[in-house]
Amino acid sequence: MPDYPKPAWDFHGGLHIDGHKSESLATPLREAKIPASLTLPLQQHIGLAAEPVVQVGDEVLKGQLIARASDYVSANLHAPTSGRVTEIAERPIAHPSGLSAQCVVIQSDGQDRWTELPEPIADFREADPADLRERLRWAGIVGLGGAVFPTNVKTNTTGRTVDTLIINAAECEPYITCDDRLMRDHPGDVIDGALILQHIVSAARVLIGIEDNKPEAIAALQADIDTRGLDEVKLVVVPSKYPSGGEKQLIYLLTGIEVPSRGLPLEVGILCQNVATSAAIADAVLRGRPLISRIVTLTGKGIRQPGNLRVTIGTPIRDLVEEMGGYTGQAHRLIMGGPMMGFALGSDELPVVKGSNCFIAASREEIPDPLAASPCIRCGECVKVCPAQLLPQQLYWYARSRDFDKTQDHSLFDCIECGCCAYVCPANIPLVHYYRFAKTEIWAGERERGKADHARRRHEFHEARLKRLEEERQARLRKKKEALGKKSAAGGDPKKAAIEAAMKRVAAKKAAQGQEPSPEQARDQEKEA
Amino acid sequence: MHFPITSSPHLQGGNAIRSVMGQVLLALVPGTVALWWYFGWGVVINVALAGVTAVAAEWLVLKLRKRDPWPAVSDLSALVTAWLLALALPPLLPWWQTLVGSLFAIVLVKQLFGGIGFNPFNPAMAAYAFLLISFPADMTHWLQPSVLTGENLPLQETLQAIFQGTAVLGAQWDAISGATPLDHMRTELSRNLMISEIRQSPVWGDFGGLGWEWVGNWFLLGGLFLIWRGVISWRIPVSMLAALLLIAGMFWAVDPQTHPFPAFHLFSGAAILGAFFIATDPVSASTTPRGQLIYGALIGLLVFAIRTWGGYPDAVAFAVLLMNMAAPTIDHYTQPRVFGAREEDHG
């Protein structure tokens, strides 16, 4: 491994873990077969699920929009191949809790015919950034590093100046090599995407952060940068240390700037994007293609021929495993993502989604069954490795005793769930699990509080409205009485006047009741309130 | 194909409490051998007695609590507690006192609070304090080091003394036993003697008591091993010893005739053992980096204060127990700065 100049900054903690990268890098990138049936979850991104724009029975072409973003933070979904929509229904999806969700199922016609695509924007430097962002929105591009946040939203700088664009090529998790493969085989796409992003946010410079365990990728990118003579694009090689690919960690490594706690990089003039996202952006802008495929690593001792595949979104994992020669018989656990932050899948029949970067079919030796946890002895190993500089042992203590206020005092929400603490814990405590539990409990509590507040406001408004109506009625009656009093004082038959008054009272009462708004009106009023 | 679901991270680095405790035991070996060298078989017998009692007690309590005793017993923590307690006991302490102390440490201070990880006090030191208060005469009557008496008591007689009482030794007992150097210094100072006069006595070596003064080095060796292995942090031992040296140095500088010179404090009693092995007990100590510095330094100051003005000759146990109580408060006020914390987040 060549020596690279060390970056000037280093984040606290982190781990040096065996990379296990070579296994899946031994074979070149291959194209996976398009399966007979593709399952496309409507939600493959952060935000609201997309709304289907096709119906069961519709013929679709490759690249045709099948579900559109239902909100600002949502993402379009396109048909990954041509065929017929056979179902729009709940299907099991790749989710940590093994949930099901609405999916569009497409039966491939085997012809893989493209729909009419939008014009490429070859001269993107002349294009309006808003048009480019619109193109990203159309293409359904989301962060492919795992966060799957809609890219057109992330690149909306809302008037803030972006000084530095950072391309995250660290790929710090063990086993995953899809970004490495992409950079080796398609360095031009990565750089194109970076330049497009740079233009969109008008960043002064572009830094590409990459770990030193990828010399081939480094060489490929550097060669591309040199041929184009790009002065404003710099490749920064960082030492291999997990989690250098954490957004805040990489930003600190490259710039020495700490992204404020619970804040966004934009606040410090930085935008960070993953390399695979960058390549997808190049595809969308320069070729007018939506995001319908991605590179996926298949590795682990449970897979016969580990390697990387270009995979059509919606392909069942099982098909990919078959493509790699099938299971070895050692496959004991299936992980999507890396072994540190990825989640275990219960079945291999789930479809590949935009965020699927890696599948590990791990043997019992690679990923042993969790050992029984024993009590925390507060040894402080976790403090040494926490890249967020938290006190994991204290957070654990408070999460365990459901003292959620205290967990927030100890900055629970700065936890990036990288898992370093649990990795080093001599008591084998699933620490991250406790933090996730505390976070979800706090969110649930906040939702409950929100609901309760809403109900209380409604109730108060309801009371106020009843009071107002009663006052109005009283006022009206008083006026009538006064008017009547004046009349009777002016003379006339007192008996007749009394009957008249009684009838008026009844009429007034009726009128008052009639004025009482219907429940729908009341709700509208409350909404306005 | 179907797979089991577990929570991330899916990798485990292979650290284990057993290996932490095992390394502590290993680090105790040189100091224990040194104690044996100077004070004879009583040291080893105490360690064995306390160890067997502690492990048996832990096993029994966990059985009573209807828990699987194996994980707790095999983590070696009871053995560490027992070993540390045994090192603090006089070598010829009656066997049943060692037993009671060991039981007190494991049953009352450790298991009644919930077992490993839940004890607010250092079990070994709580038991030491308990024994010291209950049996002050036996607990302060030490053997003289062999460098003074010529040779160690043979194994046979040591066993007799421990199990049948020191009376079996007859007149020999008075000849070979005496006060610890700290106790000696204390008594003589209370008789208004000057340090220069006190140090005329043959019990003194270059730094502390003859023989005694060299034991600390071996514990220091073990302590450095623990720091090198990352089992303990340097913060507590360094801040504790630095604070002890600093305050002892200040008083010595002002009046060297009534205050022993700083190295005396360092190489007498349990200062070094305490700094590396006792104050660093992670369960009962402060856990934040800054907190550990404060925690250690305050133990150092308390050790000096109790040795100088308190009612007991050595002070490590009391200083550690007092600071155990303060640890949660220290932790509360010394949270480290979180990555990216804004200025206004920290008042």
Side-chain angles (χ1 to χ4, degrees):
Chain A
M1 195 185 294
D3 270 338
Y4 301 100
K6 270 210 166 142
W9 299 279
D10 187 14
F11 62 90
H12 177 262
L15 296 173
H16 298 280
I17 334 176
D18 197 351
H20 287 285
K21 306 262 190 190
S22 54
E23 291 92 325
S24 53
L25 284 166
T27 50
L29 181 63
R30 285 194 286 137
E31 295 275 332
K33 280 197 285 287
I34 295 168
S37 168
L38 297 110
T39 309
L40 299 142
L42 290 175
Q43 178 150 30
Q44 309 193 7
H45 50 263
I46 298 231
L48 286 185
E51 255 167 41
V53 293
V54 289
Q55 280 168 349
V56 175
D58 283 2
E59 296 287 335
V60 290
L61 290 172
K62 183 179 185 174
Q64 181 183 331
L65 187 73
I66 54 170
R68 74 162 167 259
S70 57
D71 194 35
Y72 179 58
V73 185
S74 181
N76 283 348
L77 190 60
H78 302 78
T81 187
S82 57
R84 202 165 58 84
V85 176
T86 54
E87 243 182 311
I88 299 176
E90 294 251 316
R91 283 298 171 89
I93 55 160
H95 184 276
S97 309
L99 293 181
S100 292
Q102 284 288 318
C103 296
V104 175
V105 182
I106 295 176
Q107 214 65 44
S108 160
D109 60 11
Q111 299 182 13
D112 207 27
R113 274 175 299 136
W114 278 98
T115 183
E116 200 172 312
L117 292 173
E119 277 299 302
I121 312 175
D123 201 3
F124 62 85
R125 284 179 206 275
E126 300 303 313
D128 182 348
D131 293 342
L132 291 172
R133 279 186 44 231
E134 172 54 29
R135 173 60 63 90
L136 305 190
R137 195 195 65 79
W138 166 83
I141 293 177
V142 295
L144 297 182
V148 288
F149 189 79
T151 305
N152 63 305
V153 180
K154 198 172 177 184
T155 48
N156 184 359
T157 54
T158 59
R160 288 179 201 262
T161 2
V162 174
D163 166 66
T164 309
L165 168 71
I166 290 179
I167 301 296
N168 188 343
E171 200 167 55
C172 61
E173 273 233 40
Y175 290 92
I176 311 177
T177 58
C178 58
D179 287 350
D180 192 351
R181 193 80 261 172
L182 169 75
M183 290 184 281
R184 291 185 193 194
D185 294 1
H186 304 284
D189 282 3
V190 173
I191 303 294
D192 281 337
L195 294 173
I196 295 166
L197 278 165
Q198 183 194 16
H199 178 68
I200 292 177
V201 298
S202 36
R205 59 170 180 167
V206 181
L207 300 178
I208 303 175
I210 185 165
E211 276 195 349
D212 61 10
N213 58 3
K214 295 180 254 301
E216 291 87 348
I218 293 168
L221 287 181
Q222 194 59 58
D224 196 81
I225 295 169
D226 292 344
T227 5
R228 299 195 206 194
L230 299 167
D231 288 334
E232 72 280 23
V233 181
K234 264 209 174 63
L235 198 58
V236 186
V237 180
V238 301
S240 299
K241 179 170 92 164
Y242 178 80
S244 67
E247 188 170 76
K248 292 183 175 185
Q249 282 65 41
L250 189 67
I251 289 172
Y252 186 71
L253 276 170
L254 265 47
T255 65
I257 296 172
E258 287 186 22
V259 177
S261 161
R262 272 156 292 160
L264 292 175
L266 263 185
E267 289 173 38
V268 287
I270 292 171
L271 182 80
C272 202
Q273 289 285 353
N274 166 270
V275 259
T277 318
S278 181
I281 288 169
D283 229 20
V285 172
L286 303 179
R287 276 155 236 140
R289 286 187 190 165
L291 176 57
I292 50 172
S293 71
R294 67 159 298 148
I295 299 178
V296 177
T297 305
L298 281 112
T299 184
K301 287 216 168 73
I303 290 199
R304 219 169 279 280
Q305 299 151 18
N308 282 284
L309 285 173
R310 178 165 280 283
V311 177
T312 311
I313 306 285
T315 309
I317 302 162
R318 189 193 41 218
D319 288 20
L320 305 182
V321 174
E322 270 163 30
E323 200 120 9
M324 307 312 258
Y327 292 113
T328 57
Q330 287 192 63
H332 172 60
R333 199 86 62 86
L334 185 65
I335 310 284
M336 177 167 126
M340 293 300 287
M341 291 186 75
F343 51 87
L345 300 177
S347 151
D348 59 3
E349 275 150 46
L350 308 171
V352 170
V353 287
K354 292 175 182 177
S356 310
N357 48 3
C358 176
F359 294 101
I360 309 171
S363 71
R364 235 174 244 280
E365 289 71 45
E366 284 176 299
I367 297 183
D369 287 330
L371 296 163
S374 49
C376 169
I377 56 165
R378 292 156 52 90
C379 65
E381 285 299 310
C382 47
V383 182
K384 287 188 213 159
V385 297
C386 179
Q389 291 158 236
L390 303 171
L391 293 173
Q393 78 278 45
Q394 302 289 76
L395 279 172
Y396 158 70
W397 192 258
Y398 295 125
R400 198 185 137 93
S401 53
R402 308 179 66 100
D403 191 346
F404 299 126
D405 288 343
K406 273 276 170 51
T407 60
Q408 280 174 288
D409 286 349
H410 281 75
S411 311
L412 173 68
F413 286 98
D414 282 294
C415 167
I416 57 169
E417 299 179 20
C418 64
C420 290
C421 51
Y423 181 88
V424 298
C425 179
N428 303 313
I429 301 170
L431 291 163
V432 180
H433 205 56
Y434 278 94
Y435 308 148
R436 277 196 283 257
F437 156 74
K439 286 179 185 173
T440 356
E441 287 290 304
I442 291 168
W443 286 325
E446 275 167 5
R447 266 200 302 279
E448 281 303 308
R449 236 186 339 273
K451 267 188 202 160
D453 280 349
H454 184 67
R456 186 175 45 76
R457 275 198 305 276
R458 278 185 66 149
H459 177 72
E460 281 167 4
F461 184 81
H462 180 71
E463 297 275 293
R465 179 169 54 83
L466 289 184
K467 199 168 158 224
R468 194 190 68 228
L469 288 174
E470 178 60 22
E471 276 167 7
E472 280 170 10
R473 194 175 69 92
Q474 295 286 0
R476 259 197 316 277
L477 279 179
R478 216 164 34 242
K479 254 189 210 157
K480 292 237 165 87
K481 228 177 192 169
E482 275 164 19
L484 214 62
K486 271 179 203 159
K487 235 186 209 170
S488 53
D493 188 0
K495 220 175 183 176
K496 200 179 163 187
I499 292 167
E500 233 172 38
M503 283 181 66
K504 267 188 186 157
R505 263 205 304 280
V506 173
K509 212 171 187 175
K510 269 188 186 159
Q513 272 167 359
Q515 264 185 1
E516 185 102 353
S518 65
E520 286 81 15
Q521 283 170 320
R523 212 172 299 138
D524 288 347
Q525 276 181 349
E526 278 166 21
K527 263 185 198 159
E528 281 166 21
Chain B
M1 203 168 148
H2 289 267
F3 301 90
I5 287 186
T6 46
S7 176
S8 74
H10 307 282
L11 293 180
Q12 223 286 343
N15 289 346
I17 294 182
R18 189 183 316 170
S19 84
V20 171
M21 296 294 168
Q23 292 183 71
V24 174
L25 290 177
L26 193 65
L28 279 171
V29 169
T32 309
V33 170
L35 272 176
W36 167 77
W37 179 261
Y38 288 109
F39 299 96
W41 289 102
V43 176
V44 181
I45 295 167
N46 279 351
V47 169
L49 254 178
V52 170
T53 312
V55 173
E58 182 130 290
W59 184 282
L60 209 70
V61 175
L62 285 163
K63 273 285 178 201
L64 288 174
R65 289 176 65 200
K66 300 197 178 3
R67 305 274 171 100
D68 178 11
W70 178 243
V73 171
S74 64
D75 70 20
L76 304 179
S77 62
L79 217 52
V80 169
T81 298
W83 197 314
L84 288 171
L85 171 65
L87 294 183
L89 299 177
L92 295 189
L93 191 71
W95 63 274
W96 58 273
Q97 292 184 13
T98 307
L99 200 128
V100 166
S102 193
L103 281 176
F104 183 86
I106 298 300
V107 179
L108 264 83
V109 189
K110 188 180 177 190
Q111 286 297 337
L112 282 194
F113 282 96
I116 187 170
F118 295 100
N119 46 297
F121 294 102
N122 184 310
M125 288 304 100
Y128 175 81
F130 165 73
L131 288 175
L132 186 62
I133 293 165
S134 310
F135 315 107
D138 289 332
M139 284 293 288
T140 46
H141 222 72
W142 270 76
L143 272 181
Q144 296 287 21
S146 55
V147 279
L148 265 181
T149 57
E151 59 181 335
N152 278 323
L153 202 58
L155 178 61
Q156 180 72 23
E157 287 171 40
T158 308
L159 281 167
Q160 276 180 351
I162 289 176
F163 287 95
Q164 296 168 18
T166 46
V168 299
L169 297 177
Q172 197 193 354
W173 172 233
D174 287 330
I176 58 168
S177 70
T180 64
L182 275 170
D183 210 359
H184 186 83
M185 175 65 78
R186 204 184 138 67
T187 321
E188 299 295 83
L189 280 173
S190 69
R191 290 171 54 212
N192 285 326
L193 290 176
M194 304 286 238
I195 298 278
S196 51
E197 295 171 282
I198 297 170
R199 281 178 59 89
Q200 299 298 317
S201 162
V203 303
W204 299 109
D206 296 329
F207 305 108
L210 204 58
W212 291 90
E213 60 192 358
W214 298 111
V215 174
N217 292 320
W218 297 100
F219 283 120
L220 180 68
L221 189 72
L224 293 177
F225 167 76
L226 290 183
I227 292 178
W228 170 62
R229 298 286 302 160
V231 173
I232 59 171
S233 133
W234 57 270
R235 290 187 178 85
I236 291 176
V238 167
S239 63
M240 172 178 158
L241 296 178
L244 178 61
L245 281 178
L246 199 74
I247 183 110
M250 275 161 58
F251 276 86
W252 174 71
V254 171
D255 188 356
Q257 278 309 324
T258 57
H259 292 283
F261 68 118
F264 168 81
H265 279 283
L266 198 61
F267 292 102
S268 299
I272 290 180
L273 175 69
F276 287 94
F277 291 90
I278 292 167
T280 51
D281 162 36
V283 176
S284 53
S286 177
T287 193
T288 66
R290 261 190 313 151
Q292 290 182 339
L293 288 175
I294 296 170
Y295 175 84
L298 288 176
I299 290 178
L301 295 182
L302 277 174
V303 165
F304 179 80
I306 299 173
R307 279 180 178 180
T308 311
W309 303 293
Y312 290 95
D314 202 356
V316 170
F318 292 107
V320 167
L321 291 173
L322 283 170
M323 289 312 296
N324 283 169
M325 285 192 263
T329 313
I330 296 175
D331 286 347
H332 178 80
Y333 287 107
T334 52
Q335 287 180 43
R337 179 188 164 278
V338 169
F339 182 86
R342 301 166 211 240
E343 283 303 312
E344 61 264 32
D345 287 352
H346 282 257

